[in-house]
Amino acid sequence: MKFEKCILITGGAGFIGSHVVRLFVTKYPQYQIVNLDKLTYAGNLENLKDIDKLPNYTFEHGDIVDENYIDSLFAKYQFDGVIHLAAESHVDRSITDPMAFVKTNVIGTCNLLNSAKNLWKGQMEGKRFYHVSTDEVYGELHDPSEFFVETTSYDPRSPYSASKASSDHFVRAYHNTYGLPIVVSNCSNNYGPNHFPEKLIPLMINNIKNWKPLPVYGKGENVRDWLFVIDHARAIDNIFHNGKNGDTYNIGGNNEWKNLDLVHLLCDLMDEKQGNPVGKSRELITYVTDRAGHDLRYAIDASKLMSELGWEPSVTFEEGLSRTVDWYLNNWDWIENITSGDYQKYYTSMYETSAN
Ligand code: NAD
Ligand code: DAU
């Protein structure tokens, strides 16, 4: 079958990547979508089992840190576009193992940039390298009236955000130096189905269901701006197709929550949906030692994306959180396979090499 374009999506077996892959594979049957993923602890092909037999979807098991492999993949598929999401993504892990973040987030991104530059040399027209980044590169906010805009200076404060900031700089440097047609987006905290249960929202849902302590870092006063993952995927689709070459777009939900308030909300929602007396799960809240270098507040100003490209969130927080809790409760096998490690055993036998 002849496709109009061949697009590489990296990290498509992860949380956000799987929603992006699903959107592109179903919305654009004229595109061949190649999902490249190493299947680390965070990658889970079960996230894509509803679409993985579609004729325009292909999975490639590989590591973006492996330069020769990435070169051979670009030679094999002659990609027209790249949407790069593969990353080490958890701040706490970056504190205990920063070098894993340097390798994947910095070196891995540079390998993709190099292969794209070499493949597209002299024929950049119609090509696009989309780098998916985070609001954490801007550092933390203190003044409640302040928001991150696209021109806010970078001030990364964790090994994770420093590695993402470094990759953002490399992407822009390849545009400036070699004319690589790039676009970058910096998004706030996502939530939704298929979120790995080491992150705040799925961790709390899992612990409430299993009647385990709910670890709130410090006093629970840190603030995050939450966006439903499907709205992030919609923004990526919009920016990939309509974003200006070389430009940056902030994506956010204009939806700030103090961690403790959010945990209260989740407790009450879980009590309601599980038929427990409302307030019961709050008994599980346990204050634990704060994250080292814990950023106080993130808040995105997404007005550029809204006014220039017409994007806006489609799901309210109330609806999105309720849908998320329902998804976990209705797909409890998904989380049990992860917490028992079964999903990795399955993929190890399918794809030979073991996840890290
Ligand atoms: P995730 O950890 O759920 O998924 C990452 C995916 O990348 C996994 O499938 C993993 O197997 C794959 N991967 C990791 N290392 C790899 C390597 N060396 N080679 C190939 N594949 C590799 O992450 P996520 O939360 O879905 O985040 C996706 C992207 O979006 C990341 O770049 C992250 O920085 C960015 N982001 C995330 C959020 C958020 O709230 N989760 C917000 C803004 C931006
Ligand atoms: O802002 C975008 C970023 O959001 C992404 O770039 C990251 O990939 C993503 O992991 C997320 O980072 P955070 O550190 O904000 O997310 P996390 O879910 O780890 O934590 C959210 C807040 O909750 C943070 O203030 C730390 C706190 N927390 C987290 C956990 C896991 C707790 O209080 N207890 C916990 O057990």
Side-chain angles (χ1 to χ4, degrees):
M1 184 167 170
K2 180 92 181 87
F3 293 101
E4 194 182 290
K5 276 178 198 267
C6 183
I7 296 169
L8 171 66
I9 299 184
T10 71
F15 167 46
I16 302 169
S18 60
H19 289 277
V20 175
V21 166
R22 179 175 300 97
L23 180 64
F24 272 70
V25 166
T26 54
K27 187 171 171 186
Y28 302 108
Q30 69 274 31
Y31 294 173
Q32 181 184 16
I33 302 298
V34 179
N35 169 18
L36 161 63
D37 201 294
K38 184 182 172 185
L39 299 179
T40 67
Y41 78 94
N44 185 350
L45 286 177
E46 199 172 326
N47 295 348
L48 294 165
K49 65 175 188 233
D50 56 323
I51 56 105
D52 65 5
K53 303 283 183 301
L54 291 177
N56 63 334
Y57 173 77
T58 308
F59 177 68
E60 289 282 351
H61 186 208
D63 187 346
I64 58 169
V65 179
D66 182 342
E67 188 181 344
N68 292 332
Y69 167 75
I70 293 299
D71 264 346
S72 67
L73 199 73
F74 274 71
K76 177 175 171 188
Y77 287 100
Q78 303 280 304
F79 299 117
D80 301 292
V82 177
I83 304 178
H84 174 37
L85 295 109
E88 288 294 340
S89 70
H90 191 39
V91 174
D92 293 329
R93 286 179 189 258
S94 83
I95 295 166
T96 50
D97 184 11
M99 288 312 290
F101 287 69
V102 175
K103 286 178 192 146
T104 287
N105 299 1
V106 185
I107 296 172
T109 301
C110 290
N111 285 338
L112 292 165
L113 287 167
N114 254 334
S115 294
K117 168 176 86 68
N118 294 338
L119 177 66
W120 299 341
K121 196 174 176 185
Q123 38 172 346
M124 303 274 188
E125 192 64 35
K127 308 291 193 278
R128 171 139 283 184
F129 189 108
Y130 186 150
H131 179 58
V132 176
S133 192
T134 172
D135 59 0
E136 302 202 8
V137 297
Y138 297 123
E140 64 173 2
L141 295 166
H142 286 272
D143 179 344
S145 68
E146 276 186 344
F147 292 85
F148 297 135
V149 291
E150 287 78 0
T151 50
T152 301
S153 299
Y154 273 32
D155 183 21
R157 292 160 36 87
S158 73
Y160 164 68
S161 54
S163 69
K164 291 296 291 187
S166 170
S167 63
D168 293 10
H169 288 318
F170 271 105
V171 172
R172 295 191 182 107
Y174 270 64
H175 175 68
N176 185 55
T177 310
Y178 308 110
L180 197 74
I182 64 105
V183 71
V184 177
S185 62
N186 297 83
C187 188
S188 64
N189 286 62
N190 286 214
Y191 71 96
N194 308 104
H195 205 180
F196 196 83
E198 65 186 351
K199 307 280 172 69
L200 180 73
I201 289 181
L203 180 111
M204 294 296 163
I205 293 173
N206 190 31
N207 286 13
I208 294 169
K209 176 93 161 68
N210 290 312
W211 202 250
K212 282 179 163 170
L214 308 179
V216 171
Y217 297 168
K219 295 182 179 152
E221 283 173 347
N222 304 67
V223 173
R224 298 292 183 265
D225 172 4
W226 294 95
L227 179 71
F228 195 51
V229 62
I230 287 168
D231 281 325
H232 188 187
R234 287 175 52 250
I236 289 173
D237 174 21
N238 190 333
I239 295 166
F240 181 76
H241 288 98
N242 307 313
K244 216 169 97 204
N245 185 19
D247 223 340
T248 295
Y249 298 86
N250 278 356
I251 312 171
N254 195 17
N255 176 42
E256 291 178 53
W257 283 82
K258 263 191 192 165
N259 290 340
L260 186 59
D261 294 340
L262 177 54
V263 173
H264 283 156
L265 185 64
L266 274 170
C267 286
D268 297 350
L269 205 52
M270 285 288 285
D271 285 342
E272 187 193 311
K273 289 188 190 278
Q274 295 193 108
N276 293 328
V278 170
K280 184 153 176 56
S281 297
R282 291 188 185 204
E283 290 168 20
L284 294 169
I285 291 172
T286 310
Y287 295 94
V288 299
T289 307
D290 208 353
R291 174 183 280 173
H294 198 172
D295 287 338
L296 183 63
R297 171 175 167 253
Y298 306 140
I300 280 278
D301 176 346
S303 55
K304 174 177 171 181
L305 176 62
M306 295 170 103
S307 64
E308 289 187 14
L309 302 187
W311 171 88
E312 57 181 35
S314 65
V315 177
T316 63
F317 191 52
E318 196 184 19
E319 185 196 336
L321 205 61
S322 176
R323 273 169 66 177
T324 302
V325 170
D326 285 344
W327 185 85
Y328 279 96
L329 293 176
N330 294 330
N331 293 276
W332 204 251
D333 283 2
W334 183 88
I335 213 163
E336 276 183 340
N337 280 341
I338 286 176
T339 48
S340 69
D342 275 0
Y343 80 111
Q344 282 185 313
K345 280 183 220 143
Y346 171 64
Y347 296 123
T348 303
S349 64
M350 260 176 104
Y351 294 105
E352 302 154 24
T353 50
S354 102
N356 71 11

